[in-house]
PDB file of all heavy atoms in Angstrom:
ATOM      1  N   GLY A  87      15.210  -9.257  16.749  1.00  0.00           N
ATOM      2  CA  GLY A  87      14.614  -9.981  17.868  1.00  0.00           C
ATOM      3  C   GLY A  87      13.262 -10.592  17.548  1.00  0.00           C
ATOM      4  O   GLY A  87      12.685 -11.301  18.357  1.00  0.00           O
ATOM      5  N   HIS A  88      12.734 -10.313  16.329  1.00  0.00           N
ATOM      6  CA  HIS A  88      11.392 -10.810  16.008  1.00  0.00           C
ATOM      7  C   HIS A  88      11.342 -12.320  15.818  1.00  0.00           C
ATOM      8  O   HIS A  88      10.330 -12.943  16.099  1.00  0.00           O
ATOM      9  CB  HIS A  88      10.851 -10.108  14.759  1.00  0.00           C
ATOM     10  CG  HIS A  88      10.451  -8.697  15.010  1.00  0.00           C
ATOM     11  ND1 HIS A  88      11.324  -7.650  14.899  1.00  0.00           N
ATOM     12  CD2 HIS A  88       9.267  -8.159  15.406  1.00  0.00           C
ATOM     13  CE1 HIS A  88      10.702  -6.523  15.193  1.00  0.00           C
ATOM     14  NE2 HIS A  88       9.461  -6.800  15.511  1.00  0.00           N
ATOM     15  N   VAL A  89      12.426 -12.902  15.304  1.00  0.00           N
ATOM     16  CA  VAL A  89      12.394 -14.356  15.090  1.00  0.00           C
ATOM     17  C   VAL A  89      12.197 -15.051  16.431  1.00  0.00           C
ATOM     18  O   VAL A  89      11.430 -16.003  16.561  1.00  0.00           O
ATOM     19  CB  VAL A  89      13.695 -14.832  14.403  1.00  0.00           C
ATOM     20  CG1 VAL A  89      13.790 -16.343  14.406  1.00  0.00           C
ATOM     21  CG2 VAL A  89      13.755 -14.297  12.978  1.00  0.00           C
ATOM     22  N   GLU A  90      12.872 -14.507  17.453  1.00  0.00           N
ATOM     23  CA  GLU A  90      12.789 -15.149  18.758  1.00  0.00           C
ATOM     24  C   GLU A  90      11.535 -14.739  19.532  1.00  0.00           C
ATOM     25  O   GLU A  90      10.888 -15.567  20.154  1.00  0.00           O
ATOM     26  CB  GLU A  90      14.034 -14.750  19.556  1.00  0.00           C
ATOM     27  CG  GLU A  90      14.375 -15.721  20.670  1.00  0.00           C
ATOM     28  CD  GLU A  90      15.547 -15.190  21.476  1.00  0.00           C
ATOM     29  OE1 GLU A  90      16.406 -14.473  20.895  1.00  0.00           O
ATOM     30  OE2 GLU A  90      15.586 -15.455  22.675  1.00  0.00           O
ATOM     31  N   LYS A  91      11.215 -13.433  19.483  1.00  0.00           N
ATOM     32  CA  LYS A  91      10.220 -12.942  20.442  1.00  0.00           C
ATOM     33  C   LYS A  91       8.848 -12.587  19.886  1.00  0.00           C
ATOM     34  O   LYS A  91       7.928 -12.355  20.661  1.00  0.00           O
ATOM     35  CB  LYS A  91      10.786 -11.719  21.176  1.00  0.00           C
ATOM     36  CG  LYS A  91      11.960 -12.118  22.038  1.00  0.00           C
ATOM     37  CD  LYS A  91      12.457 -10.960  22.865  1.00  0.00           C
ATOM     38  CE  LYS A  91      13.625 -11.390  23.731  1.00  0.00           C
ATOM     39  NZ  LYS A  91      14.453 -10.282  24.157  1.00  0.00           N
ATOM     40  N   PHE A  92       8.712 -12.520  18.583  1.00  0.00           N
ATOM     41  CA  PHE A  92       7.407 -12.167  18.016  1.00  0.00           C
ATOM     42  C   PHE A  92       6.594 -13.451  17.868  1.00  0.00           C
ATOM     43  O   PHE A  92       6.428 -13.984  16.775  1.00  0.00           O
ATOM     44  CB  PHE A  92       7.610 -11.476  16.682  1.00  0.00           C
ATOM     45  CG  PHE A  92       6.378 -10.797  16.150  1.00  0.00           C
ATOM     46  CD1 PHE A  92       5.879  -9.658  16.752  1.00  0.00           C
ATOM     47  CD2 PHE A  92       5.724 -11.293  15.036  1.00  0.00           C
ATOM     48  CE1 PHE A  92       4.750  -9.031  16.260  1.00  0.00           C
ATOM     49  CE2 PHE A  92       4.593 -10.670  14.539  1.00  0.00           C
ATOM     50  CZ  PHE A  92       4.109  -9.539  15.153  1.00  0.00           C
ATOM     51  N   ALA A  93       6.136 -13.985  18.989  1.00  0.00           N
ATOM     52  CA  ALA A  93       5.528 -15.311  18.979  1.00  0.00           C
ATOM     53  C   ALA A  93       4.436 -15.394  20.032  1.00  0.00           C
ATOM     54  O   ALA A  93       4.404 -14.619  20.974  1.00  0.00           O
ATOM     55  CB  ALA A  93       6.599 -16.358  19.255  1.00  0.00           C
ATOM     56  N   ASP A  94       3.533 -16.333  19.853  1.00  0.00           N
ATOM     57  CA  ASP A  94       2.515 -16.637  20.849  1.00  0.00           C
ATOM     58  C   ASP A  94       2.694 -18.084  21.293  1.00  0.00           C
ATOM     59  O   ASP A  94       3.179 -18.913  20.516  1.00  0.00           O
ATOM     60  CB  ASP A  94       1.111 -16.490  20.237  1.00  0.00           C
ATOM     61  CG  ASP A  94       0.594 -15.064  20.287  1.00  0.00           C
ATOM     62  OD1 ASP A  94       1.160 -14.255  21.045  1.00  0.00           O
ATOM     63  OD2 ASP A  94      -0.367 -14.768  19.555  1.00  0.00           O
TER      64      ASP A  94
END
Side-chain angles (χ1 to χ4, degrees):
Chain A
H88 287 89
V89 170
E90 203 185 330
K91 294 185 179 158
F92 193 70
D94 275 344

